[in-house]
Amino acid sequence: MKIPLLEMKGITKRFPNVVANERVDLELYSGEVLALLGENGAGKSSLMNVLAGLYRADEGEIYIRGEQVEITSPRDAMLLGIGMVHQNFMLVDTMTVAENIILGMSDLPFVPDMANVSERILEISKRYNLQVDPQSYIWQLGVGERQRVEILKLIYRGAEILILDEPTAVLTPQESRELNQVIHQMTAEGKSAIFITHKMEEVIAFSDWVRVLNKGRLVAVKKTAETEPTELVQLMVGRDVLFCVEKSGRSPGDLMLELNNVQAVDDKGLPALKGISFKIRSGEILGIAGVAGNGQKQLAEVITGLRKTTGGRIRINGEVKTNKTPFDMICSGVSHIPADRNVRGVAGDMSVADNLAMKGYRKAPLTEKGILHPVRILELARRMIDAYHIDTPTPHTHSKFLSGGNVQKIILAREIDACRGLLIAAYPSRGLDVGATEYIAQSESGKAVLLISEDMEELMTVADRVAVLYEGRIMGILTCKEADTEKLGMMMAGIE
Ligand SMILES: Nc1ncnc2c1ncn2[C@@H]1O[C@H](COP(=O)(O)OP(=O)(O)O)[C@@H](O)[C@H]1O
Ligand SMILES: [Mg+2]
């Protein structure tokens, strides 16, 4: 039997509030590319950080060519031939390419011969068609070039196993094709690669094998040639029971939200929304399905004023509201349950009651003629604590003392309660035991709701229509009746 080049057995990695990896196994053979596939947060980076010596696993073993190894630092990993290109590059801006490549290498002479270093860099650069100028400063380079420097650095240092963490996220399609060539050249020479991604088509294009992670667990091992995108989507998302629940008593009213060819870029300046158009009427819930990371975050942000659009138009209640501030959007009746609830959402040093009242401060009945009414704030808080089952000792408790789930309920309660027209809810049920969508569906009708969720069952239960987001585009919008597992799965995999 062939011994794997690399074997990880039963890797468990815990963080204070989450198990990032739970007894995960991995095998990699020489000359092969393994794709590690999973939604955002599935535990891909954590597993690879364990391998690269950045994290210590709580449990599990690692073997190289059948021999157990201890990897306690990136240096250990490098000596074993393991090198990782991280999601955020780790290059020093003020140094040249050549300096970065030898930076931190231990077996260098006191005064390194830079001419020699440059020569070797050019040699590798030519062999792998990785074009870089050793004399350039990092700050002069674009993202694609920086990635090349990272890869070159690892090859220079003798990496046999190259780990690439979502490498194409920062690349143009042309650069992605070049990267594919580089990887093929490397594997042809007997080196191996682990390629992290959440995109099915990259798995198909780049890999020999694929391992799928879902919520920290390994859920599938497939030979790439023997699987297909729709199967991979199902494995990634982990649910396939879909049923349409008849929504009674809702009749759509006036047009509340209208997006027309809306475009936006992500934090790295790359296109994230590539022309989004849809409409939502009051009394209607539009679900947004799709693998997380396909533009969901940016979509919520442009509608709530947190991100500028680079094209297109947003109308609320018939009025153009493109590129307004978050405060303008609140005034236009937009409420927002954000996905990153720890960053945005609640002020930990304020009481539960004040956090609940935050959106009503500026108006009656909480404020009258510029005077705050603490008694009314408390009444409102008590009512909301009750209705949303928020577990807090008193309304005066600082919200930082509450559990994560209860902090989330504060946001839900406040946003649903304050909503006067349009509710943008991003993954509202994440981290909650009871489905948040129940609160949304039960709340008084007449609102328009945009519900972004990775839970297909949840979407089918409450949404009237479901739009599938893929690579910053809407693949199609189906009514709940038209939607089934197969159609949605195909659309989520980017197949028309
Ligand atoms: N350094 C860290 N501290 C605390 N939690 C972390 C850390 N790194 C990752 N996590 C958590 O572990 C889980 C898996 O994250 P990650 O491995 O980054 O997933 P992926 O790369 O698949 O998107 C997430 O819930 C994430 O919040
Ligand atoms: Mg990651």
Side-chain angles (χ1 to χ4, degrees):
M1 214 181 80
K2 216 164 73 169
I3 297 174
L5 172 60
L6 162 73
E7 202 171 353
M8 297 175 86
K9 275 192 191 163
I11 301 291
T12 294
K13 174 67 195 165
R14 298 186 193 95
F15 289 110
N17 292 315
V18 59
V19 183
N21 297 127
E22 199 172 340
R23 278 177 273 132
V24 176
D25 296 329
L26 182 147
E27 278 177 18
L28 179 71
Y29 289 86
S30 299
E32 280 185 355
V33 180
L34 169 70
L36 206 53
L37 181 73
E39 289 196 284
N40 283 345
K44 308 179 295 291
S45 296
S46 299
L47 185 68
M48 289 301 106
N49 281 328
V50 165
L51 185 58
L54 281 153
Y55 293 167
R56 276 309 283 274
D58 296 290
E59 284 159 35
E61 295 122 44
I62 301 175
Y63 299 82
I64 300 279
R65 294 192 179 85
E67 280 190 37
Q68 189 168 356
V69 294
E70 287 291 319
I71 302 177
T72 59
S73 69
R75 207 178 111 73
D76 286 351
M78 203 66 244
L79 291 174
L80 291 165
I82 300 166
M84 178 160 172
V85 178
H86 295 269
Q87 263 169 314
N88 305 312
F89 301 150
M90 299 183 168
L91 298 169
V92 183
D93 265 1
T94 51
M95 289 179 147
T96 66
V97 168
E99 286 164 347
N100 265 280
I101 284 173
I102 60 162
L103 182 69
M105 282 179 74
S106 51
D107 50 354
L108 283 177
F110 187 63
V111 182
D113 177 354
M114 290 314 282
N116 211 329
V117 170
S118 293
E119 200 173 307
R120 262 205 70 198
I121 292 175
L122 288 172
E123 198 183 291
I124 298 172
S125 147
K126 210 153 149 207
R127 186 156 100 233
Y128 293 94
N129 202 12
L130 279 164
Q131 278 163 31
V132 287
D133 172 5
Q135 262 58 262
S136 301
Y137 283 89
I138 299 298
W139 59 262
Q140 297 173 310
L141 308 180
V143 272
E145 290 171 296
R146 285 178 196 221
Q147 188 181 70
R148 270 181 245 151
V149 175
E150 291 271 16
I151 295 172
L152 230 155
K153 179 169 93 181
L154 298 177
I155 298 175
Y156 187 100
R157 295 174 177 205
E160 290 294 318
I161 299 172
L162 193 70
I163 307 165
L164 297 153
D165 196 348
E166 308 221 7
T168 60
V170 296
L171 301 182
T172 62
Q174 169 64 21
E175 286 173 328
S176 292
R177 280 192 291 276
E178 285 168 14
L179 177 64
N180 198 347
Q181 300 275 301
V182 173
I183 293 176
H184 273 114
Q185 173 67 26
M186 288 182 56
T187 49
E189 293 179 6
K191 297 188 201 301
S192 316
I194 304 177
F195 187 93
I196 301 184
T197 182
H198 61 254
K199 300 177 185 168
M200 280 64 60
E201 78 272 26
E202 292 187 344
V203 171
I204 306 292
F206 284 82
S207 70
D208 303 297
W209 284 89
V210 49
R211 285 182 180 241
V212 186
L213 292 182
N214 186 316
K215 300 199 170 67
R217 293 177 196 224
L218 177 69
V219 292
V221 181
K222 298 273 171 192
K223 215 173 160 82
T224 306
E226 291 165 8
T227 185
E228 46 181 69
T230 48
E231 183 185 33
L232 293 175
V233 169
Q234 303 255 296
L235 290 166
M236 256 168 96
V237 179
R239 284 166 290 261
D240 57 4
V241 223
L242 286 187
F243 51 92
C244 171
V245 175
E246 205 60 50
K247 283 99 200 162
S248 59
R250 267 194 243 146
S251 48
D254 296 338
L255 194 56
M256 187 64 207
L257 174 69
E258 184 179 2
L259 267 67
N260 207 319
N261 194 25
V262 168
Q263 292 152 44
V265 295
D266 65 14
D267 295 339
K268 294 177 184 128
L270 296 159
L273 301 178
K274 304 170 184 168
I276 302 281
S277 303
F278 60 75
K279 293 172 186 170
I280 313 180
R281 297 180 174 280
S282 55
E284 196 186 31
I285 300 180
L286 176 69
I288 300 284
V291 173
N294 277 285
Q296 287 91 334
K297 180 171 179 277
Q298 291 80 12
L299 178 62
E301 286 174 347
V302 294
I303 303 172
T304 51
L306 291 163
R307 181 176 298 269
K308 294 269 173 273
T309 61
T310 51
R313 196 160 17 198
I314 299 174
R315 278 200 184 85
I316 293 184
N317 243 332
E319 281 176 45
V320 176
K321 297 281 176 189
T322 320
N323 294 336
K324 298 284 187 199
T325 66
F327 183 66
D328 287 332
M329 297 314 259
I330 292 171
C331 294
S332 312
V334 181
S335 284
H336 183 205
I337 300 170
D340 41 359
R341 287 183 271 267
N342 296 326
V343 188
R344 287 174 180 146
V346 298
D349 284 324
M350 275 166 58
S351 71
V352 170
D354 286 340
N355 269 296
L356 284 168
M358 220 187 264
K359 280 218 158 162
Y361 268 152
R362 287 192 171 85
K363 55 181 196 289
L366 302 186
T367 301
E368 252 167 10
K369 301 194 179 86
I371 300 166
L372 271 172
H373 287 271
V375 178
R376 290 186 192 161
I377 289 179
L378 210 57
E379 268 168 25
L380 170 82
R382 289 225 161 87
R383 186 167 56 72
M384 283 157 84
I385 288 169
D386 205 45
Y388 289 85
H389 310 290
I390 300 169
D391 192 8
T392 177
T394 76
H396 307 289
T397 308
H398 280 192
S399 42
K400 67 179 170 202
F401 297 119
L402 268 56
S403 76
N406 283 296
V407 170
Q408 289 199 38
K409 285 186 192 168
I410 294 181
I411 302 170
L412 281 181
R414 181 185 68 211
E415 297 301 319
I416 294 174
D417 199 79
C419 179
R420 286 175 298 112
L422 178 63
L423 177 65
I424 310 295
Y427 309 106
S429 296
R430 256 190 207 168
L432 287 185
D433 40 2
V434 249
T437 39
E438 258 173 63
Y439 295 124
I440 294 173
Q442 276 167 15
S443 70
E444 72 188 275
S445 56
K447 309 181 179 42
V449 180
L450 182 76
L451 173 63
I452 301 174
S453 176
E454 56 209 347
D455 187 336
M456 299 292 264
E457 208 170 311
E458 178 175 276
L459 285 173
M460 297 300 276
T461 312
V462 299
D464 302 286
R465 292 179 298 145
V466 178
V468 180
L469 201 56
Y470 177 80
E471 293 264 294
R473 290 196 176 87
I474 301 250
M475 292 296 294
I477 303 182
L478 302 176
T479 63
C480 172
K481 276 225 175 81
E482 295 166 333
D484 61 39
T485 315
E486 206 178 332
K487 272 186 211 155
L488 288 172
M490 298 269 273
M491 286 160 77
M492 284 166 71
I495 301 164
E496 307 253 1

